[in-house]
Amino acid sequence: MNIIILGAGVVGVTSAWYLAKAGHSVTVIDRQPAAALETSFANAGEVSPGYSSPWAAPGIPVKALKWLFMQHSPLIIQPTLDPAALRWISQMLRNCTAQRYAINKSRMVRIAEYSRDCLMALREETGIQYDQRTQGTLEVFRTQKQFDGIGKDVAVLKAGGVAYEILDREGCASVEPGLSSSKDKIVGGLRLPGDETGDCFMFTTELAKLAEQAGVKFLYDTGITRPITEGNRLKAIVTTKGTMEADVFVGALGSYTPKFVEHLGIDLPVYPIKGYSITVPIIDAARAPVSTVMDETHKIAMTRLGDRIRVGGMAEIAGFSKSLPAKRQATLTHSIEDLFGGAGDQSQAKFWTGLRPMTPDGTPVIGATRYQNLYLNTGHGTLGWTMACGSARVLSDIVSGNKPEIETADLAISRYAA
């Protein structure tokens, strides 16, 4: 089949790769001049299936109120009358129950664990390099209350067969020696030895090259205007470079996917949740993270990417704004310097922001729509890099008429109609 994929981020490019490997003729369209120049460009670098958790969780409404008054808050809500934002927040709050949290987390861990397996197989097949490390993820807790509250997450990890280790502060410093001088600031940690790290931008650009060698066409600098329908099918899409037809269309536009499908009367509850990162060169390797360390208090991840440290996090509800306030950078700097002081050269920090496409239940939207030849692969939130390969493989199987290797019925947009 002739397939058009809308979007050349990590989700769109991996989708192109697997669909091409399945024997389809694939074209990828993106408004940017190259792949991975938006949300995939400078994310936190984690491939962390075990930490795949929805933001909507029991206790989050109370925590959110406290966060709003923190100096280095993980959550920022800009005043807004945007109906889409208000509705998304309302839907998210409805998912803050123990029952829905367990369901949503189990879905997310399922696709994320599968995705890591797919990534490992892809790496073995292609030899792709992207500053990857396979040395796990460590979440550190600054308070005893945080440490005592990991029970519900550990229960899900057990149920999913995910390997984990509960460490005291000495154990944390043992697996991450850079914490030795700051270990008194933490009480313990939860380590997932099966997690990985890597540069998402590097991976996506390298995979795009491999995809081109496999026959995939990339049309960059091409804006997507609107779809053209014929009955219950998409006939074509109108772009800034003309009208393009295909047998199948895949929406992988991240936070911009809802704007595309609203032309079709499809209500896709994906909203842009703004995140930030800084990237700093390492000047003292002994003080730097070995892999990824997550600061639970500030919801900040610190990842070693070759000779750099990527520090990413925060969630800001601010529509499609891409402004870079200095106080957001201050939060990232505080977290890394407080735990790994002197590891990186902050005077050379590169500050970045991206819009994460997040669903109110945390689970991505993967699969068919009510249009026979339109499929979606979007809504991965903070976990696009973690879930990309598995989501793309699942999508390829669905489009190709093959039975996916994991359960997918509860991943499609139809779950919101229930």
Side-chain angles (χ1 to χ4, degrees):
M1 291 185 291
N2 292 320
I3 298 174
I4 288 179
I5 296 174
L6 310 177
V10 67
V11 172
V13 171
T14 50
S15 297
W17 169 259
Y18 285 104
L19 285 165
K21 295 288 287 184
H24 302 291
S25 176
V26 181
T27 299
V28 180
I29 301 175
D30 198 282
R31 66 182 180 181
Q32 296 291 347
L37 290 181
E38 296 202 27
T39 306
S40 300
F41 183 72
N43 63 21
E46 308 162 76
V47 179
S48 300
Y51 286 115
S52 298
S53 299
W55 277 72
I60 283 296
V62 174
K63 287 182 180 179
L65 290 174
K66 294 179 180 178
W67 286 335
L68 293 177
F69 298 98
M70 285 176 57
Q71 180 183 1
H72 297 294
S73 175
L75 174 67
I76 306 99
I77 301 177
Q78 299 294 350
T80 180
L81 295 176
D82 178 11
L86 298 175
R87 189 177 64 147
W88 186 90
I89 292 171
S90 175
Q91 290 174 310
M92 189 273 287
L93 291 174
R94 289 201 296 271
N95 277 279
C96 292
T97 66
Q99 180 182 15
R100 291 189 179 187
Y101 177 83
I103 292 171
N104 294 332
K105 184 175 175 67
S106 65
R107 289 171 175 166
M108 296 171 72
V109 170
R110 183 203 316 153
I111 187 68
E113 286 284 324
Y114 178 64
S115 188
R116 185 192 54 209
D117 294 343
C118 291
L119 174 60
M120 292 171 63
L122 189 155
R123 190 167 60 230
E124 180 69 21
E125 176 187 357
T126 65
I128 191 170
Q129 297 294 312
Y130 48 94
D131 277 344
Q132 67 267 28
R133 289 184 171 225
T134 56
Q135 294 169 265
T137 298
L138 174 66
E139 182 178 18
V140 295
F141 305 98
R142 293 175 182 262
T143 70
Q144 192 63 43
K145 183 177 180 180
Q146 291 173 342
F147 197 30
D148 292 342
I150 65 175
K152 64 181 184 300
D153 287 331
V154 168
V156 175
L157 295 174
K158 285 183 177 178
V162 180
Y164 68 91
E165 301 169 1
I166 299 175
L167 306 174
D168 59 16
R169 59 165 58 100
E170 296 295 336
C172 292
S174 176
V175 297
E176 284 285 354
L179 290 171
S180 296
S181 61
S182 61
K183 63 185 179 183
D184 290 344
K185 297 178 181 179
I186 63 176
V187 298
L190 176 63
R191 181 172 182 260
L192 301 183
D195 283 4
E196 302 185 8
T197 60
D199 188 322
C200 181
F201 171 74
M202 188 183 298
F203 171 86
T204 307
T205 53
E206 289 301 310
L207 188 62
K209 295 175 185 176
L210 294 172
E212 281 189 300
Q213 294 172 14
V216 175
K217 298 177 182 178
F218 287 85
L219 299 180
Y220 296 120
D221 293 310
T222 304
I224 299 162
T225 305
R226 61 181 176 85
I228 298 175
T229 60
E230 191 174 74
N232 64 346
R233 296 176 59 84
L234 263 66
K235 180 181 179 181
I237 58 167
V238 179
T239 77
T240 54
K241 293 185 178 178
T243 299
M244 302 178 186
E245 297 187 0
D247 300 314
V248 168
F249 297 85
V250 176
L253 292 163
S255 296
Y256 298 92
T257 312
K259 290 187 176 182
F260 174 76
V261 299
E262 72 179 2
H263 292 286
L264 302 167
I266 295 175
D267 183 12
L268 176 62
V270 168
Y271 194 79
I273 302 299
K274 190 178 181 181
Y276 297 89
S277 77
I278 55 173
T279 305
V280 297
I282 293 173
I283 55 176
D284 190 336
R287 295 185 180 187
V290 170
S291 187
T292 289
V293 174
M294 297 179 63
D295 182 345
E296 168 63 17
T297 296
H298 301 296
K299 304 292 185 183
I300 299 294
M302 294 153 277
T303 301
R304 187 167 185 158
L305 298 175
D307 59 359
R308 303 160 293 150
I309 303 172
R310 173 71 50 72
V311 187
M314 290 178 282
E316 182 172 351
I317 298 176
F320 289 85
S321 167
K322 291 187 179 180
S323 63
L324 290 166
K327 57 185 176 181
R328 308 290 181 254
Q329 182 171 353
T331 294
L332 299 169
T333 303
H334 167 76
S335 195
I336 184 69
E337 286 299 307
D338 199 41
L339 295 179
F340 295 94
D345 184 353
Q346 297 298 331
S347 69
Q348 297 189 49
K350 295 181 180 179
F351 190 26
W352 173 87
T353 187
L355 303 176
R356 308 157 174 142
M358 190 169 288
T359 62
D361 59 15
T363 309
V365 177
I366 309 168
T369 69
R370 59 188 178 87
Y371 287 84
Q372 290 182 358
N373 62 336
L374 173 64
Y375 298 83
L376 299 177
N377 193 3
T378 189
H380 297 77
T382 61
L383 297 164
W385 180 203
T386 293
M387 296 181 173
C389 288
S391 300
R393 176 62 190 275
V394 161
L395 179 83
S396 176
D397 286 337
I398 292 172
V399 171
S400 303
N402 301 323
K403 183 179 180 180
E405 295 177 326
I406 62 171
E407 176 59 51
T408 62
D410 54 356
L411 302 179
I413 192 173
S414 57
R415 74 177 184 266
Y416 291 109

